[in-house]
Amino acid sequence: MRMTRRIWTQLAILLVIAATAAAVMIFGYIRLPMLLFGVGHYRVSVQLPQASGLYARANVTYRGSTIGEVKNVDLTDGGVTATLSLRSDVSIPSDLQAEVHSTSAVGEQYVALLPHPAPSAPLKDGDVITAANVRTPPDINALLDATNRGLQAIPGDDLTTAIDEAYTAVGGLGPDLNRLIKGSTRLAIDARTKLPDLLNVVDNVAPVLDTQTGTASSVQAWAAHLNAITRQLADHDNDVQNVIRQGGATAQQISQLFDQLKPTLPILAANLASVAPVLVTYAPNLEQLLVLLPYGIGVAQAITLANRGTKQDYKGAFLSFNLNVNLPPPCTTGFLPPQQQRNAALQDYPDRPTGDLYCRVPQDSPFNVRGVRNIPCETRPGKRAPTVKMCESNEDYVPLNDGLNWKGDPNATLSGQPIPQQPPAPPQAGPPEPQAAASGQPAPPIGVAHYDPATGSYVGPDGRHYTQADLAPNANNDRSWQSMLLPPGS
């Protein structure tokens, strides 16, 4: 067969690929130069008290990375010597500890090199790791013998009970135990990252422990109280069980109740949220009111039951209703002038006049001593004011006059305070205003007053009460315009 150029090219490529694969296998996987000549490696001897299952070609690790293998394991007069072949490109300190470990329960031992913290010279070819720096796993036979003796020391029935109870305790909890173990692992890792803080807590925990020692009596009392509570719970176990059994139905009824109150409960809660700060501010006053309430009820009962058990023929309250007319006189200072006061016979409901209407006499005046001007300011001890705004400000109460409200105009302003006034009435069509006098002086204002149609009584501009008898419906019908010009009672 004649070989074409294409075939020779394919054969050449195949030979190159085969040679490359053979080189990779020999030098990378089999490491033939290292096996035959030890290229790139040096040898170190390890003195072992026993072989511990170590075998040739076992791995050698340094800080968790494989850096060589065990070449030989030989018996000596004092024990066992293992020859390690280590990579020359890895610098390993000579001050270290060699440990033999197993990768699985069936064997596969390896040698782990663990350096000490102190710096030292690197290992070199021919160095020996003495038995003082070597640790080997316990003999499996001795471990099995000790385990066998321990199991024989445990009574069989008790061991069976323990295993059964353990199965009852953790049976079916595999996922939960798995989460617990994973959580513990994450906790340990986080604790490792927060090690300085944990060490700080350990170093400075002494004052806290001293506090616990100083409060040992309180802790003992708390433990004693807790013991008493648990003993009472044990004594009333049936009651507690009834509460637990009926708690679900009760909670459901409470939920239904809240569902029924849902339209109005939020509004009530919002209103209480607005009232709560006021109640907190006036808590001492409310407390005093609740303290005096039983006493007041007792006084009221004593008044209504004054004649009980007596020989009096009538039954009534032991209370005198003698009238003290105009003693003391009513306070008119600070209110609307008599010209603007409404007749009590009117039945409409106009808007409230602007401004604060209260008795504006001095606070030490004997008139209207329980008036709003003497309300104590809760947040300002020792201060009294009629409004919250005045209580919270630096403004002091100033009366309108000297307190003698019958002297002159009761609304004569000496302090500059505004006097409440009725809002201006809308303009109405009416008779023209009277012309000024020839002297240039303005005409006096026309006095207007509302009167009671039933009795003909009214309040004059001077604040006094008058009665016009002919204004009543039962008055003499023979009235003329001249009678309207006569004084009352004429």
Side-chain angles (χ1 to χ4, degrees), residues 87-171:
R87 289 166 48 186
S88 301
D89 59 342
V90 179
S91 179
I92 304 173
S94 58
D95 186 11
L96 53 78
Q97 183 172 335
E99 296 181 355
V100 179
H101 295 286
S102 297
T103 58
S104 66
V106 297
E108 300 182 15
Q109 277 76 7
Y110 67 96
V111 179
L113 301 180
L114 306 176
H116 292 152
S120 60
L123 282 175
K124 59 182 181 301
D125 188 35
D127 284 350
V128 178
I129 302 175
T130 61
N133 295 321
V134 176
R135 288 185 180 180
T136 58
D139 185 13
I140 188 63
N141 295 325
L143 180 61
L144 292 177
D145 291 340
T147 304
N148 189 25
R149 288 194 300 271
L151 294 176
Q152 290 178 355
I154 300 175
D157 296 339
D158 297 342
L159 180 60
T160 302
T161 302
I163 294 174
D164 294 341
E165 293 297 331
Y167 174 77
T168 303
V170 301

Side-chain angles (χ1 to χ4, degrees), residues 1 30 42-43 49 81 159 200 213 216 219 236 241 246 270 287 344 370 393 409 420-421 467 482 490:
M1 183 179 65
I30 302 177
Y42 64 95
R43 298 194 176 189
T81 299
L159 180 60
N200 184 24
T213 303
V219 175
H236 300 82
Q241 291 182 4
Q246 299 176 5
E287 182 180 359
R370 296 185 180 91
S393 65
D409 185 0
Q421 297 292 334
T467 301
Q482 292 86 354
S490 298

Side-chain angles (χ1 to χ4, degrees), residues 174-362:
D176 297 332
L177 294 177
N178 186 20
R179 288 196 299 269
L180 177 61
I181 294 174
K182 289 183 178 180
S184 301
T185 303
R186 288 195 297 269
L187 179 62
I189 294 173
D190 293 341
R192 178 74 178 179
T193 58
K194 305 294 183 181
L195 185 60
D197 298 333
L198 294 177
L199 294 177
N200 184 24
V201 171
V202 174
D203 295 337
N204 298 311
V205 75
V208 179
L209 297 179
D210 293 340
T211 303
Q212 297 298 320
T213 303
T215 58
S217 58
S218 301
V219 175
Q220 291 179 355
W222 175 81
H225 297 161
L226 182 61
N227 184 22
I229 293 174
T230 54
R231 186 167 54 252
Q232 291 179 4
L233 290 176
D235 296 339
H236 300 82
D237 183 67
N238 294 331
D239 299 333
V240 174
Q241 291 182 4
N242 291 333
V243 170
I244 295 175
R245 283 194 298 266
Q246 299 176 5
T250 304
Q252 185 176 3
Q253 294 180 0
I254 294 175
S255 178
Q256 294 176 357
L257 176 61
F258 279 112
D259 291 339
Q260 295 175 358
L261 296 177
K262 190 174 182 179
T264 57
L265 186 60
I267 300 176
L268 176 61
N271 295 336
L272 291 178
S274 302
V275 176
V278 180
L279 297 179
V280 172
T281 303
Y282 290 91
N285 309 73
L286 295 176
E287 182 180 359
Q288 180 68 10
L289 180 63
L290 295 177
V291 170
L292 297 178
L293 181 60
Y295 177 76
I297 295 176
V299 172
Q301 291 177 347
I303 292 174
T304 56
L305 301 178
N307 299 329
R308 190 175 206 179
T310 63
K311 296 182 178 180
Q312 299 178 4
D313 297 335
Y314 64 93
K315 303 293 182 180
F318 190 72
L319 182 64
S320 175
F321 290 97
N322 294 332
L323 298 180
N324 295 324
V325 180
N326 212 29
L327 291 176
C331 177
T332 59
T333 302
F335 298 93
L336 292 175
Q339 298 86 347
Q340 300 184 18
Q341 294 180 3
R342 287 169 43 78
N343 189 357
L346 299 179
Q347 299 180 0
D348 57 346
Y349 44 92
D351 294 335
R352 183 183 182 276
T354 58
D356 296 325
L357 298 174
Y358 57 89
C359 182
R360 294 192 182 184
V361 297

Side-chain angles (χ1 to χ4, degrees), residues 45-59:
S45 299
V46 180
Q47 297 177 355
L48 302 172
Q50 57 185 2
S52 300
L54 193 62
Y55 55 91
R57 302 297 300 273
N59 292 331

